Amino acid sequence: MKNVDMQMHVRGTSQFVDDLAAPAGCLHAALVTSRVARGRIRSLDLAEVLAAPGVVAVYTHRDVPGLNEVGHVLRDQPLLAVDQVEYIGQPLALVVAESHQAAWQAAALGRADIEELPAVLDPREALAQGMIHGQKRILVSGDPDAAFQTCRHVVQGRLASGPQEHFYFETQRALAVPTEHDTIKVHASTQSPGAFHRHLAEVLGLPMHKVELDIRRLGGAFGGKESTAVWVVAPALAAFLLKRPVKLVLPRNHDIATSGKRHPYEYDYRIGLDEEGQILAYEVDLYQHAGACADISLAVLGRSFLHASGAYRIPNIRVRAVSCRTNIPPNNAFRGFGVPQGTFAIEAAVTHAAEVLGVPAAQLKRKNLAGDGDVLPFGMVLENTNSGRCWETLDARVDLAARHAAVAEYNRTHTDSKRGLAVVPVCFGISFAQTALNQAGALVNIFVDGSVEVSTGAVEMGQGVNTKIQLVAARTLGIAPDRVRVHTTNTSRVPNASPTSASTGADLNGMATKYACEDLLTRLRRFAGQHLGHDDPEQITIREGVVHLAGKPTELRWEKLVAAAQWARVDLSSHAFYATPNLHLDPKTERGRPFAYYSCGTSLTEVWLDCVRGTYRLESVEVVHDVGRSLSEVIDRGQVAGGVMQGIGWSTVEQLRYAPDGRVLTGANAYKIPDLKSLAPHFAVTLLENSQNPNAVCNSKAVGEPPLIHGLGAWFAILDALRSVRRDKDLPSLPLTPEKVFMYLHG
Amino acid sequence: MAHHKISVTVNGSVESVDVPSNMTLLTMLREKLGLTGTKNGCTAGECGACTVFLNGEPVNSCLVLAVECDGAEVRTVESLARNGQLDPIQQSVIDHNAVQCGFCTPGVLISARALLDRNPDPTEEEIRDALVGNLCRCTGYIRILDAVKDAARVGAAPGTGGSR
Ligand code: FES
Ligand code: FES
């Protein structure tokens, strides 16, 4: 089934936060932010801001009625700075004005007298100075030291991967409307109903039942609207203090300059193999460039850490991971949540090893590919992965050996241009690694006319979760999908909801919806039995909106059944709850089963490289991915294609620069995301056939994040072409922009 | 800030609007006329979400001042469907599921409509050229490309974009 919002989207009638009709008297908020990366605040001078045309009020931390704190995991992020600043772009004061433009123009007039301290912008330097978030993590499995002694080949190196800007099309925004009894209603673009609800209440000093957060849809999020609550809480604070509606819409360049990114990482790796190319040992240090506040960085780091072995079977391993506190805006979640970085390191290590062994990287990868029965470094046994089947399916589609031969032949006969290819297997754990977050509630109401309304904690951001939930409800109740409507995500209908992230939106909320519908169905079947003079509800089913008795259709239609049941005083509303079973991870031993299952796939990426100019073209991308028994093939294929393209962007053209003082230099005009010309002439997505998954709703598998990893294939394919030209250099960093490619070739 | 009274034909109806000198066409459409179908993705001429027809040509409305539109004809995504009937490009975008979050969609539709108006049978290269300024962060483009190809193949029907 298609995305239910599509009709409105093409007519321009779907509403995002900024499309809601502005309530009478609506004001606009903006932020005065720090121009210094690190220092002590001596004083703020906001006189000019206050005197600017259209300005209604200016607030500092002193005006916060509740807690001046929006730290997502640790309490280390003030809403408005108190006595120190930790990054350029940190909010110092909140400006409220008659128009959006007036507010931002006035905010630019804010001045702060700050005693500057030396900013730390390099993660290794931060570590050397003891500037870290949380604790270092170490995971050891087997005996890596002993194993390295026995290895025939040991290869080591250093690597780095850069930041990635989310570039969700709809920037951060919220509209807050004061309501009676000192309550407030906030319409926001956020993935985290439960957490943001709590942040709002804490900052306003209100009990949570006085705050209502409503989320209709997001113009993209990709993790960037999961944890940083500043832009939702700030307008609510203004609205609460002024008792007037206030909207904040973050201008694009402010969004780029002050919001979190995918974390840059640095890596030291060492890999050991035997004669046959079997990986015996792997050691990796992950240095996460986290920025000034912990935000959600430790959770991201945890995922990189747990995915350090990538898609491979590695008997002896040591992983060390640390989150480095630097003076840049706090980085946060981005689709993949640390897995792309963890995977990048092991993929590079294996590729580097293949080069030393003189064999194609794909050969080593296939040989060491983890599959069912293999044990991950933290003790979880892989089941139902289909990893080998994904690889064979890809091979059958493309003939890997022939592709390798064709590239080799091209490169033998060409000097001014080269081709390169890469096979990337993906193995991605599904569930929040933080066990507590793996829960969801759903409220299903059936009205007397037979229409059905579902509310969950899932946020629609273009990934199609509402459509999937609608399908689950319709399928479970035995009625047509158009009888079901999925309502906005609202904290008054479904409280304390986990963020829609970690690819779990449909898994968790779909399952809660299914339970609620099953509960209603039980009541309706019992009633239908009585109604039809048949007291065995087991004999009653509902199919295509018609009550069936012993498998045969009756005269009783859904609408009549529902109306009669209501009249007979049957409750037609149900709330249900789902918590993913059997998840655990012991933080002391780093052992457990943090994921419900794994999502796997394999892809082939081919590129053509102009060795004179350093430019390249993606020629072909072939992806095979396992989505279980898909709830909606059209949606899942779209998720795969979009995810892969974001991964390609991260690997190739998306580059963000910081000035030596810690300022983000790249604006909307310089930050390049892939465009229509980046799309490879051949781009094919195959969903693995005959796949089942007992661990998620209706046998499906999560699809939001894992496919992004295939985008790494672009980096490795370009690398493959580059290494056919010269190998006397270290591996370049990610992304491989054309400039970097040129410098690699000619520098 | 000086204000100007301008007269502009938007989606077929003549509007008389009072605009400050620095107001963009995009802001005028969204805030003065309540036409929120046209989206603001960057205010910098980079993303294409704000694309509308100005005198028959697709433009980034975030880069055009409202005062420049005095006497002009503007068409937005809201005008593509006629009497509730979708334009073939809208239908094709639905048929190909070329929408995820939907924020880029209005701009994509206008650029595609403009292409098909001037070139009913574009090559793939021509489609890529015409839509290269319409970024999309969600779909990965393949379906957008297929939707435009297909709309062209089924015969792009009467153009609704230009003033011709
Ligand atoms: S909003 Fe005009 S091009 Fe992005
Ligand atoms: S569908 Fe979200 S930006 Fe294109």
Side-chain angles (χ1 to χ4, degrees):
Chain A
M1 198 178 97
K2 291 176 180 301
N3 183 322
V4 292
D5 287 344
M6 202 122 61
Q7 279 280 346
M8 290 190 302
H9 286 320
V10 302
R11 292 173 190 266
T13 54
S14 49
Q15 292 194 313
F16 297 83
V17 170
D18 198 32
D19 302 335
L20 300 171
C26 186
L27 299 171
H28 299 263
L31 294 162
V32 177
T33 57
S34 175
R35 295 190 176 93
V36 171
R38 191 179 181 201
R40 280 188 208 98
I41 303 175
R42 293 200 197 96
S43 64
L44 295 184
D45 178 2
L46 302 168
E48 258 189 84
V49 182
L50 203 50
V55 170
V56 175
V58 180
Y59 299 116
T60 67
H61 71 94
R62 288 196 189 83
D63 301 298
V64 176
L67 207 60
N68 178 37
E69 176 60 57
V70 288
H72 191 69
V73 177
L74 305 182
R75 299 282 184 176
D76 67 345
Q77 188 168 8
L79 172 66
L80 298 171
V82 180
D83 48 14
Q84 55 188 25
V85 288
E86 300 283 348
Y87 63 95
I88 292 177
Q90 183 173 346
L92 303 174
L94 170 62
V95 184
V96 195
E98 299 288 349
S99 75
H100 171 83
Q101 228 183 13
W104 287 98
Q105 278 171 358
L109 302 172
R111 295 285 172 268
D113 178 11
I114 294 173
E115 176 197 342
E116 280 194 49
L117 298 171
V120 178
L121 303 169
D122 177 85
R124 293 188 198 243
E125 189 191 326
L127 178 61
Q129 294 192 20
M131 290 171 62
I132 63 170
H133 296 296
Q135 307 284 321
K136 287 185 196 173
R137 288 178 76 168
I138 298 178
L139 168 61
V140 183
S141 159
D143 186 346
D145 295 328
F148 271 116
Q149 301 290 320
T150 67
C151 289
R152 173 69 193 272
H153 308 281
V154 175
V155 177
Q156 59 186 22
R158 259 190 182 210
L159 277 175
S161 60
Q164 185 176 24
E165 157 62 25
H166 300 83
F167 219 103
Y168 26 64
F169 258 46
E170 179 202 36
T171 58
Q172 305 275 352
R173 58 196 57 188
L175 165 66
V177 185
T179 37
E180 63 172 24
H181 284 303
D182 277 337
T183 60
I184 189 162
K185 180 165 183 175
V186 181
H187 303 270
S189 184
T190 170
Q191 296 170 251
S192 280
F196 278 39
H197 185 203
R198 201 191 62 221
H199 284 309
L200 283 162
E202 281 177 355
V203 170
L204 301 183
L206 291 175
M208 286 170 78
H209 66 203
K210 286 196 163 189
V211 178
E212 179 185 351
L213 175 57
D214 191 82
I215 306 159
R216 181 174 300 268
R217 63 171 61 79
L218 275 48
F222 317 116
K225 296 173 180 172
E226 177 173 355
S227 58
T228 317
V230 175
W231 307 287
V232 172
V233 174
L237 172 63
F240 185 71
L241 294 174
L242 287 165
K243 299 291 169 246
R244 285 178 68 176
V246 177
K247 192 186 321 195
L248 184 149
V249 173
L250 199 60
R252 173 63 68 187
N253 280 340
H254 288 258
D255 195 307
I256 295 178
T258 63
S259 71
K261 310 283 170 260
R262 183 188 299 286
H263 295 77
Y265 275 54
E266 296 195 10
Y267 319 79
D268 295 329
Y269 65 86
R270 186 154 76 109
I271 190 166
L273 305 92
D274 70 11
E275 240 113 301
E276 262 77 68
Q278 204 79 39
I279 302 173
L280 298 183
Y282 178 57
E283 190 170 54
V284 65
D285 282 277
L286 306 170
Y287 306 93
Q288 182 193 49
H289 193 166
C293 311
D295 198 283
I296 203 166
S297 295
L298 294 170
V300 173
L301 185 74
R303 244 178 197 271
S304 311
F305 177 80
L306 294 175
H307 285 79
S309 57
Y312 307 109
R313 188 186 330 108
I314 305 182
N316 303 286
I317 192 165
R318 180 183 292 115
V319 189
R320 282 181 292 247
V322 62
S323 178
C324 306
R325 184 158 61 84
T326 49
N327 297 109
I328 59 168
N331 287 321
N332 58 18
F334 196 138
R335 197 177 199 171
F337 207 79
V339 180
Q341 292 96 324
T343 307
F344 175 54
I346 182 69
E347 285 295 313
V350 172
T351 304
H352 189 180
E355 202 177 284
V356 171
L357 268 70
V359 298
Q363 189 180 314
L364 278 194
K365 293 182 183 186
R366 181 68 189 96
K367 191 178 193 84
N368 291 283
L369 191 68
D372 293 6
D374 287 328
V375 184
L376 292 165
F378 46 93
M380 179 170 170
V381 182
L382 285 173
E383 297 166 20
N384 193 27
T385 57
N386 289 321
S387 58
R389 210 144 71 72
C390 287
W391 187 292
E392 306 315 337
T393 306
L394 176 75
D395 198 3
R397 279 188 63 87
V398 302
D399 190 347
L400 289 172
R403 299 290 184 114
H404 272 102
V407 167
E409 177 57 19
Y410 185 93
N411 291 346
R412 202 179 56 76
T413 51
H414 293 73
T415 47
D416 285 353
S417 66
K418 296 285 177 189
R419 295 182 63 216
L421 65 70
V423 181
V424 173
V426 174
C427 191
F428 195 113
I430 301 298
S431 292
F432 289 98
Q434 184 76 49
T435 300
L437 294 177
N438 294 288
Q439 56 168 303
L443 174 67
V444 179
N445 295 327
I446 305 176
F447 298 101
V448 286
D449 65 353
S451 63
V452 176
E453 176 192 79
V454 183
S455 298
T456 72
V459 173
E460 176 61 52
M461 45 193 146
Q463 86 282 40
V465 69
N466 280 358
T467 307
K468 288 186 172 178
I469 286 170
Q470 182 185 13
L471 274 173
V472 169
R475 212 185 269 180
T476 311
L477 293 170
I479 58 177
D482 65 5
R483 299 263 52 199
V484 179
R485 189 176 93 88
V486 179
H487 208 331
T488 61
T489 310
N490 185 297
T491 52
S492 295
R493 272 179 268 118
V494 177
N496 313 319
S498 289
T500 299
S501 61
S503 310
T504 60
D507 279 17
L508 296 172
N509 296 281
M511 202 63 118
T513 302
K514 185 161 180 273
Y515 285 0
C517 291
E518 281 169 353
D519 183 33
L520 289 162
L521 193 62
T522 304
R523 294 177 209 164
L524 286 169
R525 283 165 75 194
R526 193 181 312 126
F527 172 76
Q530 291 160 5
H531 193 79
L532 295 169
H534 194 96
D535 47 1
D536 181 7
E538 292 297 302
Q539 296 292 314
I540 306 280
T541 50
I542 301 173
R543 278 184 238 160
E544 288 166 24
V546 175
V547 177
H548 286 59
L549 179 62
K552 298 213 175 56
T554 68
E555 295 288 285
L556 188 57
R557 296 194 53 82
W558 168 261
E559 286 73 16
K560 272 206 135 164
L561 168 70
V562 165
Q566 192 273 340
W567 199 247
R569 298 189 291 179
V570 173
D571 180 7
L572 295 181
S573 175
S574 176
H575 170 271
F577 181 78
Y578 176 71
T580 318
N582 304 323
L583 300 180
H584 51 91
L585 181 70
D586 180 342
K588 284 205 189 67
T589 60
E590 301 285 10
R591 291 290 186 281
R593 184 183 178 279
F595 303 116
Y597 60 92
Y598 272 76
S599 159
C600 294
T602 312
S603 60
L604 171 71
T605 306
E606 292 172 302
V607 303
W608 177 89
L609 171 71
D610 179 333
C611 300
V612 180
R613 294 176 182 81
T615 53
Y616 49 79
R617 283 198 308 262
L618 290 198
E619 294 185 308
S620 156
V621 179
E622 270 275 354
V623 178
V624 175
H625 207 89
D626 177 15
V627 299
R629 193 193 289 169
S630 176
L631 279 170
S632 164
E633 258 199 53
V634 291
I635 288 176
D636 286 354
R637 287 176 177 281
Q639 285 294 296
V640 175
V644 172
M645 192 56 114
Q646 275 182 355
I648 290 172
W650 177 54
S651 299
T652 57
V653 292
E654 295 187 34
Q655 181 162 269
L656 192 88
R657 295 178 194 277
Y658 295 89
D661 66 354
R663 210 163 10 108
V664 173
L665 285 176
T666 314
N669 57 355
Y671 192 80
K672 295 298 171 204
I673 65 169
D675 60 28
L676 186 47
K677 290 199 175 183
S678 322
L679 176 67
H682 178 83
F683 188 102
V685 173
T686 304
L687 303 181
L688 189 71
E689 284 182 5
N690 303 319
S691 170
Q692 298 281 337
N693 178 28
N695 291 313
V697 64
C698 304
N699 273 305
S700 62
K701 278 193 177 185
V703 68
E705 300 171 284
L708 182 135
I709 313 280
H710 295 298
L712 274 173
W715 192 91
F716 284 99
I718 298 167
L719 181 76
D720 189 41
L722 288 176
R723 299 299 263 189
S724 74
V725 180
R726 63 189 292 187
R727 290 187 175 185
D728 56 340
K729 288 191 145 189
D730 289 342
L731 298 189
S733 61
L734 177 152
L736 261 173
T737 60
E739 295 98 297
K740 269 197 228 163
V741 167
F742 183 87
M743 291 311 289
Y744 181 92
L745 290 168
H746 306 293
Chain B
M1 182 76 56
H3 279 243
H4 308 263
K5 192 113 188 138
I6 64 164
S7 170
V8 50
T9 307
V10 180
N11 298 339
S13 61
V14 182
E15 306 279 353
S16 165
V17 206
D18 190 33
V19 294
S21 314
N22 64 354
M23 181 177 270
T24 61
L25 171 58
L26 173 61
T27 307
M28 183 192 84
L29 290 170
R30 291 182 52 83
E31 289 173 16
K32 292 274 176 180
L33 301 176
L35 291 168
T36 54
T38 305
K39 305 299 182 202
N40 183 349
C42 69
T43 336
E46 291 294 330
C47 73
C50 65
T51 312
V52 300
F53 282 109
L54 176 62
N55 295 328
E57 292 297 325
V59 297
N60 287 331
S61 62
C62 70
L63 295 184
V64 175
L65 288 173
V67 287
E68 296 177 72
C69 301
D70 195 9
E73 202 208 341
V74 175
R75 284 194 176 274
T76 68
V77 65
E78 285 93 343
S79 75
L80 286 182
R82 289 274 167 98
N83 305 320
Q85 195 67 34
L86 293 180
D87 184 279
I89 183 64
Q90 289 173 307
Q91 190 58 50
S92 188
V93 160
I94 291 180
D95 292 345
H96 286 270
N97 300 286
V99 181
Q100 286 185 23
C101 81
F103 215 81
C104 69
T105 311
V108 167
L109 289 167
I110 298 288
S111 292
R113 181 72 263 163
L115 167 68
L116 298 176
D117 280 355
R118 64 172 187 270
N119 178 2
D121 188 20
T123 63
E124 180 169 324
E125 231 17 69
E126 288 167 335
I127 298 174
R128 287 180 186 249
D129 280 340
L131 269 78
V132 74
N134 288 90
L135 302 179
C136 172
R137 191 50 152 169
C138 301
T139 63
Y141 300 105
I142 182 104
R143 287 171 167 178
I144 292 178
L145 182 64
D146 287 347
V148 181
K149 274 189 198 164
D150 224 33
R153 202 176 48 75
V154 302
T160 53
S163 48
R164 57 206 113 141

